[in-house]
Coordinates of all heavy atoms in Angstrom, one line a residue:
M1 N 7.1 -3.5 -9.9 CA 8.0 -4.6 -9.9 C 7.4 -5.9 -10.1 O 7.9 -6.8 -10.8 CB 8.8 -4.6 -8.6 CG 9.9 -5.6 -8.6 SD 11.1 -5.4 -10.0 CE 12.5 -4.9 -9.2
L2 N 6.2 -6.1 -9.5 CA 5.5 -7.4 -9.7 C 5.1 -7.7 -11.2 O 5.2 -8.8 -11.7 CB 4.3 -7.5 -8.8 CG 4.6 -7.6 -7.3 CD1 3.3 -7.6 -6.5 CD2 5.4 -8.9 -7.0
T3 N 4.8 -6.6 -11.9 CA 4.5 -6.8 -13.3 C 5.7 -7.2 -14.1 O 5.6 -8.0 -15.0 CB 3.9 -5.5 -13.9 OG1 4.8 -4.4 -13.7 CG2 2.6 -5.1 -13.2
R4 N 6.9 -6.7 -13.7 CA 8.1 -7.1 -14.4 C 8.5 -8.6 -14.1 O 8.9 -9.3 -14.9 CB 9.3 -6.2 -14.0 CG 9.2 -4.8 -14.5 CD 10.4 -4.1 -14.1 NE 10.3 -2.7 -14.4 CZ 11.0 -1.7 -13.9 NH1 12.0 -2.0 -13.0 NH2 10.8 -0.5 -14.2
I5 N 8.3 -8.9 -12.8 CA 8.6 -10.3 -12.4 C 7.8 -11.3 -13.1 O 8.3 -12.3 -13.6 CB 8.4 -10.4 -10.9 CG1 9.5 -9.6 -10.1 CG2 8.4 -11.9 -10.4 CD1 9.3 -9.5 -8.6
A6 N 6.5 -11.0 -13.3 CA 5.7 -11.9 -14.0 C 6.1 -12.1 -15.5 O 6.0 -13.2 -16.0 CB 4.2 -11.4 -14.0
N7 N 6.6 -11.1 -16.0 CA 7.1 -11.1 -17.4 C 8.5 -11.9 -17.5 O 8.7 -12.5 -18.5 CB 7.3 -9.7 -18.0 CG 7.5 -9.7 -19.5 OD1 6.8 -10.4 -20.2 ND2 8.3 -8.8 -19.9
W8 N 9.3 -11.8 -16.5 CA 10.6 -12.5 -16.5 C 10.5 -14.0 -16.3 O 11.5 -14.7 -16.7 CB 11.5 -11.9 -15.4 CG 11.9 -10.5 -15.6 CD1 11.9 -9.8 -16.7 CD2 12.2 -9.6 -14.5 NE1 12.3 -8.5 -16.5 CE2 12.5 -8.3 -15.1 CE3 12.4 -9.7 -13.2 CZ2 12.9 -7.2 -14.4 CZ3 12.8 -8.6 -12.4 CH2 13.0 -7.4 -13.1
L9 N 9.5 -14.5 -15.7 CA 9.4 -15.9 -15.4 C 9.3 -16.8 -16.7 O 8.7 -16.4 -17.7 CB 8.1 -16.2 -14.6 CG 8.2 -15.7 -13.1 CD1 6.8 -15.9 -12.5 CD2 9.3 -16.5 -12.3
T10 N 9.9 -17.9 -16.6 CA 9.8 -18.9 -17.7 C 8.6 -19.7 -17.5 O 7.9 -19.6 -16.5 CB 11.1 -19.8 -17.7 OG1 11.1 -20.5 -16.5 CG2 12.3 -19.0 -18.0
D11 N 8.2 -20.6 -18.4 CA 7.0 -21.4 -18.3 C 7.0 -22.2 -17.0 O 5.9 -22.4 -16.5 CB 6.9 -22.3 -19.5 CG 6.5 -21.6 -20.8 OD1 5.9 -20.4 -20.6 OD2 6.7 -22.1 -21.9
D12 N 8.2 -22.7 -16.6 CA 8.2 -23.5 -15.4 C 8.8 -22.7 -14.2 O 9.1 -23.3 -13.2 CB 8.9 -24.8 -15.6 CG 10.4 -24.6 -16.0 OD1 10.7 -23.5 -16.4 OD2 11.1 -25.6 -16.0
G13 N 8.9 -21.4 -14.4 CA 9.5 -20.6 -13.3 C 8.5 -20.3 -12.2 O 7.3 -20.3 -12.4
Q14 N 9.1 -20.1 -11.0 CA 8.3 -19.8 -9.8 C 8.9 -18.6 -9.1 O 10.1 -18.4 -9.1 CB 8.4 -21.0 -8.9 CG 7.7 -22.2 -9.4 CD 7.8 -23.4 -8.4 OE1 8.6 -23.4 -7.5 NE2 6.9 -24.3 -8.5
F15 N 8.0 -17.8 -8.6 CA 8.4 -16.6 -7.8 C 7.7 -16.7 -6.5 O 6.6 -17.1 -6.3 CB 7.9 -15.3 -8.5 CG 7.8 -14.1 -7.6 CD1 9.0 -13.5 -7.3 CD2 6.6 -13.6 -7.2 CE1 8.9 -12.4 -6.4 CE2 6.6 -12.5 -6.4 CZ 7.7 -11.9 -6.0
S16 N 8.5 -16.4 -5.4 CA 7.9 -16.4 -4.1 C 8.7 -15.3 -3.3 O 9.9 -15.1 -3.4 CB 8.2 -17.8 -3.4 OG 7.6 -17.8 -2.1
A17 N 7.9 -14.6 -2.4 CA 8.5 -13.5 -1.6 C 7.7 -13.2 -0.4 O 6.5 -13.5 -0.4 CB 8.7 -12.2 -2.5
D18 N 8.3 -12.6 0.6 CA 7.5 -12.1 1.7 C 6.8 -10.8 1.3 O 7.2 -10.0 0.4 CB 8.5 -11.6 2.8 CG 9.2 -12.8 3.5 OD1 8.5 -13.9 3.6 OD2 10.3 -12.7 3.9
L19 N 5.6 -10.7 1.8 CA 4.7 -9.5 1.5 C 3.9 -9.2 2.7 O 3.0 -9.9 3.1 CB 3.8 -9.8 0.3 CG 2.9 -8.6 -0.1 CD1 3.6 -7.4 -0.6 CD2 1.9 -9.1 -1.1
D20 N 4.2 -8.0 3.3 CA 3.4 -7.6 4.4 C 2.4 -6.5 3.9 O 2.8 -5.4 3.7 CB 4.4 -7.0 5.5 CG 3.6 -6.6 6.8 OD1 2.4 -6.8 6.8 OD2 4.3 -6.1 7.7
L21 N 1.2 -6.9 3.7 CA 0.2 -6.0 3.2 C -0.1 -4.8 4.1 O -0.5 -3.8 3.6 CB -1.1 -6.8 2.9 CG -1.1 -7.7 1.7 CD1 -2.4 -8.5 1.6 CD2 -0.8 -7.0 0.4
D22 N 0.2 -5.0 5.4 CA 0.0 -3.8 6.3 C 0.9 -2.6 6.0 O 0.6 -1.5 6.3 CB 0.3 -4.3 7.7 CG -0.7 -5.3 8.3 OD1 -1.8 -5.3 7.7 OD2 -0.4 -6.0 9.2
S23 N 2.0 -2.9 5.3 CA 2.9 -1.8 4.9 C 2.7 -1.2 3.6 O 3.4 -0.3 3.1 CB 4.4 -2.2 5.0 OG 4.7 -3.2 4.0
I24 N 1.6 -1.6 2.9 CA 1.2 -1.0 1.6 C 0.0 -0.2 1.8 O -1.1 -0.7 2.3 CB 1.0 -2.1 0.6 CG1 2.3 -2.9 0.4 CG2 0.6 -1.5 -0.8 CD1 2.2 -4.1 -0.5
R25 N 0.1 1.1 1.6 CA -0.9 2.1 1.9 C -1.5 2.8 0.7 O -0.7 3.0 -0.3 CB -0.4 3.1 2.9 CG 0.2 2.5 4.2 CD -0.8 2.0 5.1 NE -0.3 1.3 6.3 CZ -0.9 1.5 7.4 NH1 -1.9 2.2 7.6 NH2 -0.3 0.8 8.5
L26 N -2.7 3.2 0.8 CA -3.3 4.1 -0.2 C -2.8 5.5 0.1 O -2.2 5.8 1.2 CB -4.8 4.0 -0.2 CG -5.3 2.6 -0.5 CD1 -6.8 2.6 -0.3 CD2 -4.9 2.1 -1.8
A27 N -3.0 6.4 -0.8 CA -2.5 7.8 -0.7 C -3.0 8.5 0.6 O -2.3 9.3 1.1 CB -2.9 8.6 -2.0
D28 N -4.2 8.1 1.0 CA -4.7 8.8 2.2 C -4.3 8.1 3.5 O -4.7 8.4 4.6 CB -6.2 8.8 2.2 CG -6.9 7.4 2.2 OD1 -6.2 6.4 2.3 OD2 -8.1 7.4 2.0
G29 N -3.4 7.1 3.4 CA -2.8 6.4 4.6 C -3.5 5.1 5.0 O -3.0 4.4 5.8
R30 N -4.7 4.8 4.4 CA -5.4 3.6 4.7 C -4.7 2.4 4.1 O -4.1 2.5 3.0 CB -6.8 3.6 4.1 CG -7.7 4.6 4.8 CD -9.1 4.5 4.2 NE -9.0 5.0 2.8 CZ -9.6 4.3 1.8 NH1 -10.3 3.2 2.0 NH2 -9.5 4.8 0.5
P31 N -4.7 1.2 4.8 CA -4.0 0.0 4.2 C -4.7 -0.4 2.9 O -6.0 -0.3 2.8 CB -4.2 -1.0 5.3 CG -4.6 -0.3 6.6 CD -5.2 1.0 6.1
A32 N -4.0 -0.8 2.0 CA -4.5 -1.3 0.7 C -5.2 -2.7 0.9 O -6.1 -3.0 0.2 CB -3.4 -1.4 -0.4
G33 N -4.6 -3.5 1.8 CA -5.2 -4.8 2.3 C -5.9 -5.6 1.3 O -5.4 -6.1 0.3
R34 N -7.2 -5.9 1.6 CA -8.0 -6.8 0.9 C -8.2 -6.5 -0.6 O -8.1 -7.4 -1.4 CB -9.4 -7.0 1.5 CG -9.5 -7.9 2.6 CD -10.9 -8.2 3.1 NE -11.0 -7.7 4.4 CZ -12.0 -7.1 5.0 NH1 -13.1 -6.8 4.2 NH2 -12.0 -6.6 6.2
K35 N -8.4 -5.3 -0.9 CA -8.5 -4.9 -2.3 C -7.3 -5.2 -3.1 O -7.3 -5.7 -4.3 CB -9.0 -3.4 -2.5 CG -10.4 -3.2 -2.1 CD -10.8 -1.8 -2.4 CE -12.3 -1.6 -1.9 NZ -12.8 -0.3 -2.2
L36 N -6.1 -4.9 -2.5 CA -4.9 -5.2 -3.2 C -4.7 -6.7 -3.3 O -4.3 -7.2 -4.4 CB -3.7 -4.6 -2.4 CG -2.3 -5.0 -3.0 CD1 -2.1 -4.6 -4.4 CD2 -1.2 -4.3 -2.1
A37 N -5.0 -7.5 -2.3 CA -4.8 -8.9 -2.4 C -5.7 -9.5 -3.5 O -5.3 -10.4 -4.2 CB -5.2 -9.6 -1.0
T38 N -6.9 -9.0 -3.6 CA -7.9 -9.4 -4.6 C -7.3 -9.1 -6.0 O -7.4 -9.9 -6.9 CB -9.3 -8.7 -4.4 OG1 -9.8 -9.1 -3.1 CG2 -10.2 -9.1 -5.5
A39 N -6.8 -7.9 -6.2 CA -6.2 -7.5 -7.5 C -5.0 -8.4 -7.8 O -4.9 -8.8 -9.0 CB -5.8 -6.0 -7.5
L40 N -4.2 -8.7 -6.8 CA -3.0 -9.6 -7.1 C -3.5 -11.0 -7.5 O -2.9 -11.6 -8.4 CB -2.1 -9.6 -5.9 CG -1.4 -8.3 -5.6 CD1 -0.8 -8.4 -4.2 CD2 -0.3 -8.1 -6.6
R41 N -4.5 -11.5 -6.8 CA -5.0 -12.8 -7.2 C -5.6 -12.8 -8.6 O -5.4 -13.8 -9.3 CB -6.0 -13.3 -6.1 CG -5.4 -13.6 -4.8 CD -6.4 -14.1 -3.8 NE -5.8 -14.4 -2.5 CZ -6.0 -13.7 -1.4 NH1 -6.9 -12.7 -1.4 NH2 -5.4 -14.0 -0.3
A42 N -6.3 -11.8 -8.9 CA -6.9 -11.7 -10.2 C -5.9 -11.6 -11.3 O -6.1 -12.0 -12.4 CB -7.9 -10.5 -10.3
A43 N -4.7 -11.1 -11.0 CA -3.6 -11.0 -11.9 C -2.7 -12.3 -12.0 O -1.7 -12.3 -12.7 CB -2.7 -9.8 -11.5
G44 N -3.1 -13.3 -11.2 CA -2.5 -14.6 -11.3 C -1.4 -14.9 -10.2 O -0.7 -15.9 -10.3
F45 N -1.4 -14.0 -9.2 CA -0.5 -14.3 -8.1 C -1.2 -15.0 -7.0 O -2.5 -15.0 -6.9 CB 0.0 -13.0 -7.5 CG 1.0 -12.2 -8.4 CD1 0.5 -11.3 -9.3 CD2 2.3 -12.5 -8.3 CE1 1.3 -10.6 -10.1 CE2 3.2 -11.8 -9.2 CZ 2.7 -10.9 -10.1
T46 N -0.5 -15.8 -6.2 CA -1.1 -16.3 -5.0 C -0.7 -15.4 -3.8 O 0.4 -14.9 -3.8 CB -0.5 -17.7 -4.7 OG1 0.9 -17.7 -4.6 CG2 -0.9 -18.7 -5.8
V47 N -1.6 -15.2 -2.9 CA -1.4 -14.3 -1.8 C -1.8 -15.0 -0.5 O -3.0 -15.4 -0.4 CB -2.1 -13.0 -1.9 CG1 -1.9 -12.1 -0.7 CG2 -1.8 -12.2 -3.2
D48 N -0.9 -15.3 0.4 CA -1.2 -15.9 1.6 C -1.0 -14.9 2.7 O 0.1 -14.6 3.1 CB -0.2 -17.1 1.9 CG -0.5 -17.9 3.1 OD1 -1.2 -17.3 4.0 OD2 -0.1 -19.1 3.2
T49 N -2.1 -14.3 3.1 CA -2.1 -13.2 4.1 C -1.7 -13.7 5.5 O -1.0 -12.9 6.2 CB -3.4 -12.4 4.2 OG1 -4.5 -13.4 4.5 CG2 -3.7 -11.7 2.8
R50 N -2.0 -14.9 5.8 CA -1.6 -15.4 7.1 C -0.1 -15.6 7.2 O 0.5 -15.2 8.2 CB -2.3 -16.7 7.4 CG -2.2 -17.2 8.8 CD -3.1 -18.4 9.1 NE -2.9 -19.5 8.2 CZ -2.1 -20.5 8.5 NH1 -1.4 -20.5 9.6 NH2 -1.9 -21.5 7.6
R51 N 0.5 -16.1 6.2 CA 2.0 -16.3 6.2 C 2.8 -15.2 5.6 O 4.0 -15.2 5.5 CB 2.3 -17.6 5.4 CG 1.8 -18.8 6.1 CD 2.4 -20.1 5.4 NE 2.0 -21.3 6.1 CZ 1.0 -22.0 5.8 NH1 0.1 -21.7 4.8 NH2 0.7 -23.1 6.5
R52 N 2.0 -14.2 5.1 CA 2.6 -13.0 4.5 C 3.5 -13.3 3.3 O 4.7 -13.0 3.3 CB 3.4 -12.2 5.5 CG 2.5 -11.6 6.6 CD 3.3 -10.8 7.6 NE 2.4 -10.2 8.6 CZ 2.4 -10.5 9.9 NH1 3.1 -11.5 10.3 NH2 1.6 -9.9 10.7
R53 N 3.0 -14.1 2.4 CA 3.7 -14.5 1.2 C 3.0 -14.2 -0.1 O 1.7 -14.3 -0.1 CB 4.0 -16.1 1.3 CG 4.8 -16.5 2.5 CD 6.2 -16.2 2.5 NE 6.9 -16.9 1.4 CZ 8.2 -16.7 1.1 NH1 8.8 -15.8 1.7 NH2 8.7 -17.4 0.2
I54 N 3.7 -14.0 -1.1 CA 3.1 -13.8 -2.5 C 3.9 -14.8 -3.4 O 5.1 -15.0 -3.2 CB 3.2 -12.4 -2.9 CG1 2.5 -12.2 -4.3 CG2 4.6 -11.9 -3.0 CD1 2.3 -10.8 -4.7
G55 N 3.2 -15.3 -4.4 CA 3.9 -16.2 -5.3 C 3.2 -16.1 -6.7 O 2.2 -15.6 -6.9
R56 N 3.9 -16.8 -7.6 CA 3.4 -16.9 -9.0 C 4.1 -18.0 -9.7 O 5.3 -18.2 -9.5 CB 3.6 -15.6 -9.7 CG 3.0 -15.7 -11.1 CD 3.2 -14.4 -11.9 NE 2.7 -14.5 -13.2 CZ 1.5 -14.3 -13.6 NH1 0.6 -13.8 -12.7 NH2 1.1 -14.5 -14.8
N57 N 3.4 -18.8 -10.5 CA 4.0 -19.8 -11.3 C 3.8 -19.5 -12.7 O 2.7 -19.2 -13.2 CB 3.3 -21.2 -11.0 CG 3.6 -21.7 -9.6 OD1 4.7 -21.5 -9.1 ND2 2.6 -22.3 -9.0
G58 N 4.9 -19.4 -13.5 CA 4.8 -19.1 -14.9 C 4.7 -17.7 -15.2 O 4.3 -16.8 -14.4
P59 N 5.0 -17.3 -16.5 CA 5.0 -15.9 -16.9 C 3.5 -15.4 -17.2 O 2.6 -16.2 -17.3 CB 5.8 -16.0 -18.2 CG 5.4 -17.4 -18.8 CD 5.3 -18.3 -17.6
G60 N 3.5 -14.1 -17.4 CA 2.2 -13.5 -17.8 C 2.4 -12.0 -17.9 O 3.3 -11.4 -17.4
V61 N 1.5 -11.4 -18.7 CA 1.4 -10.0 -18.8 C 0.5 -9.5 -17.7 O -0.7 -9.9 -17.6 CB 0.9 -9.6 -20.2 CG1 0.8 -8.1 -20.2 CG2 1.9 -10.1 -21.2
V62 N 1.0 -8.7 -16.8 CA 0.2 -8.3 -15.6 C 0.0 -6.8 -15.6 O 0.9 -6.0 -15.9 CB 0.9 -8.7 -14.3 CG1 0.3 -8.1 -13.1 CG2 1.0 -10.2 -14.2
S63 N -1.2 -6.4 -15.3 CA -1.6 -5.0 -15.1 C -2.3 -4.9 -13.8 O -3.3 -5.6 -13.6 CB -2.4 -4.5 -16.3 OG -2.8 -3.2 -16.1
L64 N -1.8 -4.1 -12.9 CA -2.4 -3.9 -11.6 C -3.0 -2.4 -11.6 O -2.4 -1.5 -12.1 CB -1.4 -4.1 -10.5 CG -0.9 -5.5 -10.4 CD1 0.3 -5.6 -9.4 CD2 -2.0 -6.4 -10.0
P65 N -4.1 -2.3 -10.9 CA -4.8 -0.9 -10.9 C -4.2 0.0 -9.8 O -4.9 0.7 -9.1 CB -6.2 -1.3 -10.5 CG -6.1 -2.5 -9.7 CD -4.9 -3.3 -10.2
Y66 N -2.9 0.0 -9.6 CA -2.2 0.9 -8.6 C -1.0 1.5 -9.2 O -0.3 1.0 -10.1 CB -1.8 0.1 -7.4 CG -2.9 -0.5 -6.6 CD1 -3.5 -1.8 -6.9 CD2 -3.6 0.2 -5.6 CE1 -4.5 -2.3 -6.2 CE2 -4.6 -0.3 -4.9 CZ -5.1 -1.5 -5.2 OH -6.2 -2.0 -4.6
M67 N -0.7 2.8 -8.8 CA 0.5 3.5 -9.2 C 1.3 3.9 -8.0 O 0.7 4.5 -7.0 CB 0.1 4.7 -10.0 CG 1.3 5.5 -10.5 SD 0.8 6.9 -11.6 CE 0.1 8.0 -10.3
Y68 N 2.5 3.6 -8.0 CA 3.4 3.9 -6.8 C 3.6 5.4 -6.7 O 3.9 6.1 -7.6 CB 4.8 3.2 -7.1 CG 5.8 3.4 -6.0 CD1 5.6 2.8 -4.7 CD2 6.9 4.2 -6.2 CE1 6.6 3.0 -3.7 CE2 7.9 4.4 -5.2 CZ 7.7 3.8 -4.0 OH 8.6 4.0 -3.0
L69 N 3.5 5.9 -5.4 CA 3.6 7.3 -5.1 C 4.9 7.6 -4.4 O 5.5 8.6 -4.5 CB 2.5 7.8 -4.3 CG 1.1 7.7 -4.9 CD1 0.0 8.1 -3.9 CD2 1.1 8.6 -6.1
G70 N 5.4 6.6 -3.5 CA 6.6 6.8 -2.7 C 6.5 6.0 -1.5 O 5.6 5.3 -1.2
A71 N 7.5 6.3 -0.6 CA 7.6 5.5 0.7 C 7.9 6.4 1.8 O 8.4 7.5 1.7 CB 8.7 4.5 0.5
D72 N 7.6 5.9 3.0 CA 7.8 6.6 4.3 C 8.7 5.7 5.1 O 8.3 4.7 5.6 CB 6.5 6.9 5.0 CG 6.6 7.5 6.3 OD1 7.8 7.9 6.7 OD2 5.6 7.7 7.0
D73 N 9.9 6.2 5.3 CA 10.8 5.3 6.1 C 10.7 5.4 7.6 O 11.4 4.8 8.4 CB 12.3 5.6 5.7 CG 12.7 7.0 6.0 OD1 11.9 7.8 6.5 OD2 13.9 7.3 5.8
R74 N 9.7 6.1 8.1 CA 9.4 6.3 9.5 C 8.4 5.3 10.0 O 7.8 5.5 11.0 CB 9.0 7.7 9.8 CG 10.1 8.7 9.5 CD 9.6 10.1 9.6 NE 8.7 10.3 8.4 CZ 7.8 11.3 8.3 NH1 7.6 12.1 9.3 NH2 7.1 11.4 7.3
A75 N 8.1 4.3 9.2 CA 7.0 3.3 9.5 C 7.4 2.5 10.7 O 6.5 2.0 11.4 CB 6.8 2.4 8.3
G76 N 8.6 2.3 11.0 CA 9.0 1.4 12.1 C 9.1 0.0 11.7 O 8.9 -0.3 10.5
P77 N 9.4 -0.9 12.6 CA 9.6 -2.3 12.2 C 8.3 -3.0 11.8 O 7.2 -2.7 12.3 CB 10.1 -3.0 13.5 CG 9.7 -2.1 14.6 CD 9.6 -0.7 14.0
N78 N 8.4 -4.0 10.9 CA 7.2 -4.8 10.6 C 7.4 -6.1 11.3 O 8.1 -6.1 12.3 CB 7.1 -5.0 9.1 CG 8.2 -5.8 8.4 OD1 9.1 -6.4 9.1 ND2 8.2 -5.8 7.1
Y79 N 6.9 -7.2 10.9 CA 6.9 -8.4 11.6 C 8.3 -9.1 11.7 O 8.5 -10.0 12.5 CB 5.9 -9.4 11.1 CG 6.2 -10.0 9.8 CD1 6.7 -11.3 9.7 CD2 6.0 -9.3 8.6 CE1 6.9 -11.9 8.4 CE2 6.3 -9.9 7.4 CZ 6.7 -11.2 7.3 OH 7.0 -11.7 6.1
T80 N 9.3 -8.6 10.9 CA 10.6 -9.3 10.9 C 11.8 -8.3 11.0 O 12.9 -8.7 11.4 CB 10.8 -10.2 9.7 OG1 10.8 -9.4 8.5 CG2 9.9 -11.3 9.7
Q81 N 11.6 -7.1 10.5 CA 12.7 -6.2 10.4 C 12.3 -4.7 10.2 O 11.1 -4.5 10.1 CB 13.5 -6.6 9.1 CG 12.7 -6.5 7.9 CD 13.3 -7.1 6.7 OE1 14.3 -7.8 6.8 NE2 12.8 -7.0 5.5
P82 N 13.2 -3.8 10.2 CA 12.8 -2.4 10.0 C 12.1 -2.3 8.6 O 12.4 -3.1 7.7 CB 14.2 -1.6 9.9 CG 15.1 -2.5 10.7 CD 14.7 -3.9 10.5
A83 N 11.2 -1.4 8.5 CA 10.4 -1.4 7.3 C 10.0 0.0 6.9 O 10.2 1.0 7.6 CB 9.1 -2.2 7.6
V84 N 9.4 0.1 5.7 CA 8.9 1.4 5.2 C 7.4 1.1 4.9 O 7.0 0.0 4.6 CB 9.6 1.9 4.0 CG1 11.1 2.2 4.3 CG2 9.5 1.0 2.8
N85 N 6.6 2.2 4.8 CA 5.3 2.1 4.3 C 5.4 2.6 2.8 O 6.0 3.6 2.6 CB 4.3 2.9 5.0 CG 3.8 2.2 6.3 OD1 3.9 1.0 6.4 ND2 3.4 3.0 7.3
S86 N 4.9 1.8 1.9 CA 4.8 2.2 0.5 C 3.4 2.7 0.2 O 2.4 2.1 0.6 CB 5.2 1.0 -0.4 OG 6.5 0.6 -0.2
Y87 N 3.4 3.9 -0.5 CA 2.1 4.5 -0.8 C 1.8 4.4 -2.3 O 2.6 4.6 -3.2 CB 2.1 6.0 -0.4 CG 2.1 6.1 1.1 CD1 3.3 6.1 1.8 CD2 0.9 6.3 1.8 CE1 3.3 6.2 3.2 CE2 0.9 6.4 3.1 CZ 2.1 6.3 3.9 OH 2.1 6.4 5.2
Y88 N 0.5 4.0 -2.6 CA 0.0 3.8 -3.9 C -1.3 4.6 -4.1 O -2.1 4.8 -3.1 CB -0.2 2.4 -4.2 CG 1.1 1.6 -4.3 CD1 1.7 1.2 -3.2 CD2 1.6 1.2 -5.6 CE1 2.9 0.4 -3.3 CE2 2.8 0.5 -5.7 CZ 3.4 0.1 -4.6 OH 4.6 -0.6 -4.7
T89 N -1.6 4.9 -5.3 CA -2.9 5.5 -5.6 C -3.6 4.5 -6.5 O -2.9 3.8 -7.4 CB -2.9 6.9 -6.3 OG1 -4.2 7.4 -6.4 CG2 -2.2 6.8 -7.6
R90 N -4.9 4.3 -6.4 CA -5.6 3.4 -7.2 C -6.0 4.1 -8.5 O -6.5 5.2 -8.5 CB -6.9 2.9 -6.5 CG -7.6 1.8 -7.2 CD -8.6 1.1 -6.3 NE -9.5 0.2 -7.0 CZ -9.2 -1.0 -7.4 NH1 -8.0 -1.5 -7.2 NH2 -10.0 -1.7 -8.0
N91 N -5.7 3.4 -9.6 CA -6.0 4.0 -10.9 C -7.5 4.1 -11.1 O -8.2 3.4 -10.4 CB -5.3 3.2 -12.1 CG -3.8 3.3 -12.0 OD1 -3.2 4.1 -11.5 ND2 -3.2 2.3 -12.6
T92 N -7.9 4.9 -12.0 CA -9.3 5.0 -12.3 C -9.9 3.6 -12.7 O -9.3 2.9 -13.5 CB -9.6 6.0 -13.5 OG1 -8.9 7.2 -13.2 CG2 -11.0 6.2 -13.8
P93 N -11.0 3.2 -12.1 CA -11.6 1.9 -12.4 C -11.9 1.8 -13.9 O -12.4 2.8 -14.5 CB -12.8 1.8 -11.5 CG -12.6 2.8 -10.5 CD -11.8 3.9 -11.1
T94 N -11.7 0.6 -14.4 CA -12.2 0.4 -15.8 C -13.5 -0.4 -15.7 O -13.9 -0.8 -14.7 CB -11.1 -0.5 -16.6 OG1 -10.9 -1.7 -15.8 CG2 -9.8 0.3 -16.7
F95 N -14.1 -0.7 -16.9 CA -15.4 -1.4 -16.9 C -15.2 -2.7 -16.2 O -14.3 -3.5 -16.4 CB -15.8 -1.6 -18.4 CG -17.0 -2.4 -18.5 CD1 -18.2 -1.8 -18.3 CD2 -17.0 -3.7 -18.8 CE1 -19.4 -2.4 -18.4 CE2 -18.2 -4.4 -18.9 CZ -19.4 -3.8 -18.7
G96 N -16.1 -3.0 -15.3 CA -16.2 -4.2 -14.5 C -15.2 -4.2 -13.3 O -15.2 -5.1 -12.5
D97 N -14.5 -3.1 -13.0 CA -13.6 -3.0 -11.9 C -14.2 -2.0 -10.9 O -13.9 -0.8 -11.0 CB -12.2 -2.6 -12.4 CG -11.2 -2.4 -11.2 OD1 -11.4 -3.1 -10.2 OD2 -10.3 -1.7 -11.4
Q98 N -15.0 -2.5 -10.0 CA -15.6 -1.6 -9.0 C -15.1 -1.8 -7.7 O -15.1 -2.7 -7.0 CB -17.1 -1.8 -9.1 CG -17.7 -1.5 -10.4 CD -17.5 -0.1 -10.9 OE1 -17.5 0.8 -10.1 NE2 -17.3 0.1 -12.2

């Protein structure tokens, strides 16, 4: 969805949303955390882990090294409301992506 959002923005468009990185997990259950935040920043998003916010100014073609696998609705509440854990697998690294 973030790749679509980046494409939908106009030159002066802004995107902002809540993002709880604790609820985004790798296929083995580990939090995606820092590596995901780094990938999002490299793709032109701002990530504020303390305030749990993600943002972007202006459009762009975005490619992220993750593929959605599904969600677990038994995650329990996050910091504001009932939540799910979303599971992703990391795509095969490309040259320079270690």
Side-chain angles (χ1 to χ4, degrees):
M1 184 56 109
L2 292 174
T3 57
R4 289 183 192 164
I5 289 168
N7 193 39
W8 293 336
L9 289 172
T10 61
D11 288 339
D12 60 348
Q14 295 180 338
F15 163 74
S16 182
D18 291 326
L19 176 66
D20 186 1
L21 288 175
D22 291 340
S23 66
I24 301 175
R25 305 290 177 139
L26 299 175
D28 63 6
R30 291 179 297 132
R34 274 189 245 142
K35 287 186 179 183
L36 175 57
T38 298
L40 289 167
R41 288 181 183 115
F45 290 91
T46 59
V47 179
D48 184 338
T49 56
R50 190 170 58 90
R51 290 189 177 96
R52 297 181 175 111
R53 300 288 290 171
I54 184 170
R56 183 180 176 89
N57 293 322
V61 176
V62 172
S63 177
L64 295 170
Y66 294 91
M67 183 176 71
Y68 180 69
L69 297 174
D72 176 5
D73 63 358
R74 296 170 289 161
N78 67 9
Y79 71 104
T80 61
Q81 61 192 8
V84 299
N85 281 336
S86 296
Y87 289 86
Y88 289 79
T89 187
R90 188 161 168 81
N91 294 339
T92 305
T94 56
F95 180 75
D97 180 25
Q98 300 299 326

